[in-house]
Amino acid sequence: MRRRISTRAIGLVAMLGLWGGAWAAKTLTVCTDAAPDGFDIVQYELLATADASGVPIYDQLLMYKPGTTELVPGIAEKWDVSADGREYTLQLRAGVKFHSTQWFTPTRELNAQDVVFSISRMHDRSHPAHGSARNGYVYWAGMGMSSLLERVSRVDDRRVRFTLTRPDATFLSLLAMPTIGSVYPAEYAQQLLKAGKPEQLNTLPVGSGPFVFRSYQKDAVVRYAANKAWWGGAPKIDNLVFAITVDADTRAQRVKAEECLVGVDMKAQSVAAFEAHPRVSIIKHTPLVTSYLALNTQHAGLSDVRLREALWLAIDKKTYMQASYAGFATAAASFLPPGMWSRDAGLPDRHDPERAKQLVKASGYDGRELTMFFANGGSRLRAAELMQADWAKVGIRVRTRAMEQGEMYKRSGEGEHDIVLLSWYGDNGDPDNFFSPNLSCAAVESGGNKSRRCNPRLDELLKAATRTSDRKQRAALYVQAQRIVYDEVSIIPLAHGMVMTAVNRRVRGFVPSPFGSSDFRHASVD
C-alpha cells in the first residue's frame, strides 16, 4: 500500500531536523527507497543496505574509480600476483584510522590483523566470530569464495597474502565489493566477543570509511558524521542523513520541498514534474542492471521447463515496459545487461500466448495457484498485476504478495516463493558477478540463487571462465552460460532500466555509479 506525504510525516521530518536550518552545517539528506537490513554489510545483498551502511562506514581493500568499473587502490595501495596466479600479496596503506565512537576507541591504526580477521570471519567456520552474522555471508557463499580461497595470512603489519586454490580472473574485483572486501577492526570484534556481544557489529558498527555512524531510528532515518581523519581526505559535508522514504511519490514530494537534497530511484512518471523545477535536476543513467523473475524450480509445476517457458511466453512485455518504465528501459532476453562485455545480444525475447497455452497443457499443470513475491514501492504492484493478468489468459493462476524488501529477500532466499520479482545490479563490472551469486549451485545453498536450480554444467562453465584472464575465451564461455539459462528458463529477464536520481542544484560532486549505488564520499553542498 502506498503512503502519501501527510502533516504527520512533515512534522516528523521537522522533528528530526531535516529542514533548512540543518543545511547550514553542510548536511546532505538523501531520501532513500528502503531501510537498511543492518550495518554488518557482509551479511546482506540489498542495494539500499550497501548505500546506507556499507559505503559510508567501511573501506574496502580495493575500490572503484567513481562512475566507472576501473579498479583503484583502497586500503591496499598496491599488490603483486604470483606467476601461477594463485598468490596475491597486498601492501596496506599506512596511517589508516578506525572510527572513535561512544562504543569503541581504537588503540592502534588499521593493519594486517584487521584484514585477516575480516576475511577469516567469513571463510573459517570455526572462527570465534563466524557465528556473529545471523544472516550468514550471502555474497561470500554465493561467489564461491569458500572454495576459491585456500588461506589468508599476515606477512607483516603492512602486508597480507591471499592464497587461492586456483587462478581466478575476478579476484581483485571481488576485493572491491563492500560485501566481501570491507575491513573491520579486529580489536573491536575481540572486545565484543569478550563481552559476549559479537552481534553488536550489526547495530553499532565501526569502520575506517568517510563517515562515522551516529544513530539509526528504525525505518525512519540513519545519521552519519564526517570522518575528518579519513585517509582519502575529509568529506566536504559535515553530516550525511538517509531519510527512509519507501513510497516513490513521497520521495518526489520531499525533494520538491527540499527536505531531501537527493532522491534516489525516481519513478519515470515523476520526471516530467521536475523538468521545469528551478532547483532540482534529474540525473539519468543506465547502470548494469537487469530486472527479472526468478522461478522456484524446486516447486511442483515449476520443475517442468514447459511451464516456465509458458510463463515467459505469456508476458506482454511491451505493455509491461510502458507501465513500469514509461519508456525509460529496454526489454531483456539475456540476464547480462547492455554495456557488459560478453553479453549475447542475439538472444530473442519470447512472446507467444498461443504457444504458452499449448505448453501449459503439455506440462500437466494442475491449476494450482502460484504465489509471486514482490517488494513494496515503485511501480511493482502495477507490474505484478499486469503479469498476473497475462498468465491468467493462458491458464496459469498466480496470487501476488507485496512485502518489505528485506523480508522478500529473506523469504525468497529460503525458497518460500514460486515466483519473485527482482532486480540485480552488477557490483564489480565482471559477468561472473551476474551469474555466480544468482545462478550457481553455491548460491542455492546461500539463498542468493532464488531459482534454486543447480546445474553442474553451468557451474563448470562459470568456473572455467574465471580460471583464465583471456577475455575472448571468457566471453565465449559466458555466451554458452547465457544460452543455458535462456533454454532452462530458470529466470525470466524482463528489462534493463534507467536509473533516475533527483538532485538539488546545491549538491556538487555526485557521480552516478555503474553499479546503481549512491556514493556520497566526494559530494558537497553549496
Side-chain angles (χ1 to χ4, degrees):
M1 179 182 295
R2 290 187 171 186
R3 292 183 290 127
R4 297 283 180 184
I5 193 164
S6 65
T7 302
R8 182 180 176 189
I10 292 173
L12 178 63
V13 170
M15 181 182 74
L16 294 173
L18 305 183
W19 287 101
W23 295 343
K26 298 291 185 185
T27 294
L28 175 57
T29 301
V30 181
C31 272
T32 187
D33 62 338
D37 292 316
F39 297 90
D40 182 8
I41 185 61
V42 295
Q43 295 191 40
Y44 304 109
E45 56 182 330
L46 195 62
L47 184 61
T49 303
D51 287 351
S53 71
V55 173
I57 298 172
Y58 303 102
D59 285 317
Q60 291 74 52
L61 289 163
L62 277 73
M63 295 184 178
Y64 290 99
K65 184 178 179 179
T68 77
T69 60
E70 179 186 344
L71 286 171
V72 296
I75 292 300
E77 58 182 357
K78 57 184 179 180
W79 48 87
D80 295 313
V81 186
S82 64
D84 66 0
R86 288 187 52 222
E87 283 194 349
Y88 288 74
T89 303
L90 278 59
Q91 171 100 19
L92 306 181
R93 194 178 295 277
V96 177
K97 302 178 188 302
F98 284 114
H99 304 156
S100 290
T101 66
Q102 293 180 359
W103 49 92
F104 176 65
T105 302
T107 65
R108 60 169 176 77
E109 295 178 345
L110 185 153
N111 66 31
Q113 293 180 59
D114 302 300
V115 178
V116 172
F117 164 79
S118 302
I119 299 298
S120 298
R121 175 184 170 226
M122 296 184 286
H123 182 58
D124 181 359
R125 292 176 181 270
S126 65
H127 190 279
H130 182 78
S132 60
R134 284 189 174 182
N135 292 295
Y137 306 95
V138 177
Y139 259 81
W140 184 268
M143 298 300 287
M145 294 296 291
S146 294
S147 63
L148 175 62
L149 181 65
E150 183 174 299
R151 62 180 176 274
V152 57
S153 54
R154 171 184 176 276
V155 179
D156 55 38
D157 271 359
R158 296 276 308 283
R159 289 185 297 167
V160 174
R161 181 163 297 145
F162 290 84
T163 304
L164 308 184
T165 57
R166 60 182 186 274
D168 188 296
T170 70
F171 183 66
L172 290 175
S173 296
L174 296 172
L175 297 183
M177 294 165 59
T179 44
I180 288 180
S182 291
V183 181
Y184 291 64
E187 187 181 14
Y188 178 48
Q190 287 159 1
Q191 175 183 302
L192 295 179
L193 284 169
K194 188 175 180 181
K197 301 177 180 176
E199 293 177 2
Q200 191 171 298
L201 285 171
N202 193 38
T203 55
L204 295 175
V206 174
S208 62
F211 294 98
V212 182
F213 178 79
R214 285 290 182 251
S215 65
Y216 172 44
Q217 185 177 342
K218 185 172 172 54
D219 296 332
V221 62
V222 188
R223 292 181 178 281
Y224 291 97
N227 175 13
K228 301 293 185 184
W230 190 41
W231 59 267
K236 297 173 184 174
I237 53 178
D238 300 306
N239 304 294
L240 177 61
V241 178
F242 291 93
I244 298 156
T245 313
V246 176
D247 182 75
D249 294 329
T250 306
R251 284 200 301 280
Q253 292 287 348
R254 286 182 171 175
V255 172
K256 286 179 186 175
E258 301 191 55
E259 296 174 28
C260 295
L261 296 182
V262 175
V264 306
D265 198 20
M266 289 290 108
K267 283 198 311 184
Q269 291 81 353
S270 300
V271 171
F274 284 103
E275 285 181 350
H277 198 287
R279 294 182 299 279
V280 178
S281 59
I282 296 289
I283 296 178
K284 302 173 187 172
H285 79 290
T286 305
L288 300 170
V289 62
T290 303
S291 298
Y292 68 103
L293 299 171
L295 312 178
N296 190 338
T297 62
Q298 294 182 350
H299 279 188
L302 291 172
S303 59
D304 192 311
V305 68
R306 291 169 294 187
L307 186 63
R308 301 199 300 268
E309 185 174 355
L311 285 165
W312 186 335
L313 287 164
I315 297 172
D316 177 357
K317 207 172 279 186
K318 186 176 180 181
T319 302
Y320 163 78
M321 297 280 289
Q322 187 60 37
S324 298
Y325 297 95
F328 293 102
T330 56
S334 168
F335 192 33
L336 294 186
M340 177 65 80
W341 61 270
S342 80
R343 176 173 182 262
D344 185 351
L347 289 176
D349 200 359
R350 292 178 165 111
H351 182 227
D352 187 340
E354 291 306 315
R355 173 66 178 154
K357 290 177 185 175
Q358 296 170 11
L359 288 175
V360 170
K361 186 175 181 181
S363 73
Y365 170 62
D366 61 4
R368 181 177 72 92
E369 187 177 63
L370 305 177
T371 301
M372 175 181 173
F373 289 180
F374 62 97
N376 294 320
S379 56
R380 299 181 191 95
L381 174 59
R382 178 62 178 147
E385 290 174 340
L386 285 172
M387 288 188 281
Q388 181 186 41
D390 288 340
W391 291 326
K393 291 174 187 172
V394 301
I396 304 174
R397 298 171 61 231
V398 177
R399 177 172 62 117
T400 59
R401 290 195 60 184
M403 58 189 73
E404 184 271 329
Q405 282 199 48
E407 180 187 0
M408 184 194 72
Y409 273 84
K410 183 175 185 298
R411 294 179 64 172
S412 58
E414 293 170 351
E416 289 189 28
H417 64 294
D418 291 310
I419 305 168
V420 59
L421 174 60
L422 301 165
S423 289
W424 181 258
Y425 289 82
D427 45 16
N428 72 11
D430 194 281
D432 183 71
N433 180 240
F434 272 77
F435 287 104
S436 288
N438 296 298
L439 296 164
S440 68
C441 295
V444 174
E445 183 179 348
S446 70
N449 183 344
K450 307 297 193 289
S451 77
R452 304 184 71 76
R453 177 163 177 77
C454 168
N455 181 336
R457 171 59 181 153
L458 178 64
D459 253 29
E460 280 304 310
L461 282 172
L462 300 182
K463 289 176 182 173
T466 60
R467 288 190 184 112
T468 175
S469 58
D470 184 314
R471 183 167 286 197
K472 188 175 179 181
Q473 288 183 26
R474 297 190 70 207
L477 292 167
Y478 287 125
V479 166
Q480 292 183 53
Q482 286 166 82
R483 292 178 181 172
I484 287 176
V485 174
Y486 181 85
D487 291 341
E488 289 188 334
V489 202
S490 53
I491 62 168
I492 301 175
L494 293 172
H496 309 294
M498 185 176 288
V499 170
M500 289 169 280
T501 307
V503 181
N504 192 290
R505 297 184 194 281
R506 294 173 55 213
V507 178
R508 310 284 182 187
F510 170 71
V511 180
S513 164
F515 308 128
S517 56
S518 297
D519 180 353
F520 301 103
R521 283 177 289 195
H522 304 288
S524 63
V525 177
D526 288 343

